[in-house]
Amino acid sequence: MELDLDESSLAIGRIERALSRIEKALADRAKRPVAAPAADQSALKAEVAAVIGELDLLIAEAKRG
Amino acid sequence: MADVKLTIAGRPYDVHCADGEEAQLIRLAAVVDEKARTMPGVTEVRQLLFAALMLADETQEARAKADKAEPQSDSLRAAVALAESRETAARDELKAAVSREQAALKELEAIRGHTPTATTSSNPAHDRALLQIADRIEALASKVEQLP
């Protein structure tokens, strides 16, 4: 699939909005400390780490041009 | 010099004054005349004496009022100076914020200016990855939002 500039910008916008949603959800969660089941948390952590890893990779590739 | 004819307490007076000051002199004479006439039935000298005393009293009161008003004007001046300095600080802050925003916009434009070559023609893999990451982060956001 090829994206032009506008679609890239839209993808970046989607990422920014999703990050804001995560930030807000975590902030709300911090206000009401409820312990989630350990399995859920570790799965979530793994998913976060995977996404961060992919982002890092993408950024490194973009820097190399 | 100008010649002015004044009437105070019923007696006419010929007075000289500088050119252009005639109207002011006539106004002052009217004030003295008004005071003098508040004491009817006494001698002219006494009328003028009381007029002089009343005017001296008014002068003293006016001076006292002016002295009292002085501290108020001082505090007013201080308040104005404070407001002005705050306004200056706020303007400086606003100016700095605008410069920061402009710098950030320039940076963004520079990045966007380079983005097409990097994302469209030279590396479509990045575009695909970007789209996939957007999908995954959105899914992640939904999961985080649904956490108990």
Side-chain angles (χ1 to χ4, degrees):
Chain A
M1 187 202 309
E2 288 260 337
L3 292 177
D4 62 18
L5 174 62
D6 285 341
E7 282 172 327
S8 301
S9 298
L10 285 174
I12 291 170
R14 281 175 56 199
I15 292 172
E16 284 172 346
R17 281 193 297 278
L19 287 173
S20 296
R21 281 169 58 198
I22 292 173
E23 202 176 13
K24 187 181 177 302
L26 291 176
D28 290 346
R29 203 173 138 74
K31 282 178 199 161
R32 46 172 184 81
V34 180
D40 279 6
Q41 278 196 349
S42 59
L44 200 65
K45 276 180 188 171
E47 177 69 7
V48 170
V51 172
I52 289 172
E54 280 175 35
L55 266 175
D56 282 345
L57 201 68
L58 189 68
I59 289 166
E61 278 178 26
K63 275 182 181 168
R64 281 199 299 273
Chain B
M1 290 292 274
D3 296 326
V4 181
K5 193 178 276 293
L6 304 174
T7 305
I8 297 173
R11 180 189 286 272
Y13 297 92
D14 290 321
V15 182
H16 308 292
C17 68
D19 288 333
E21 289 182 350
E22 301 92 321
Q24 172 67 0
L25 186 59
I26 290 169
R27 276 196 296 272
L28 294 175
V31 173
V32 178
D33 185 50
E34 188 195 335
K35 298 288 176 202
R37 284 176 190 279
T38 57
M39 299 294 297
V42 297
T43 61
E44 189 189 330
V45 173
R46 278 191 172 269
Q47 272 186 317
L48 291 175
L49 170 70
F50 283 117
L53 287 173
M54 279 189 275
L55 288 171
D57 183 48
E58 282 177 16
T59 306
Q60 224 168 29
E61 260 182 40
R63 274 187 190 151
K65 271 186 192 168
D67 288 347
K68 265 190 192 171
E70 199 63 32
Q72 282 177 357
S73 2
D74 280 351
S75 56
L76 207 62
R77 270 196 288 272
V80 169
L82 185 68
E84 279 173 353
S85 72
R86 279 184 186 166
E87 191 196 357
T88 309
R91 273 186 194 192
D92 289 348
E93 213 171 302
L94 194 64
K95 223 168 148 182
V98 168
S99 323
R100 281 200 299 275
E101 195 186 346
Q102 278 171 348
L105 276 175
K106 269 187 191 168
E107 208 174 314
L108 193 65
E109 275 168 17
I111 291 167
R112 282 196 173 155
H114 290 100
T115 305
T117 51
T119 56
T120 54
S121 54
S122 66
N123 207 337
H126 286 169
D127 301 335
R128 276 196 298 277
L130 204 58
L131 194 66
Q132 282 168 3
I133 286 170
D135 287 341
R136 291 185 68 178
I137 293 183
E138 279 175 347
L140 201 62
S142 299
K143 276 186 194 170
V144 172
E145 282 170 343
Q146 283 164 10
L147 280 176

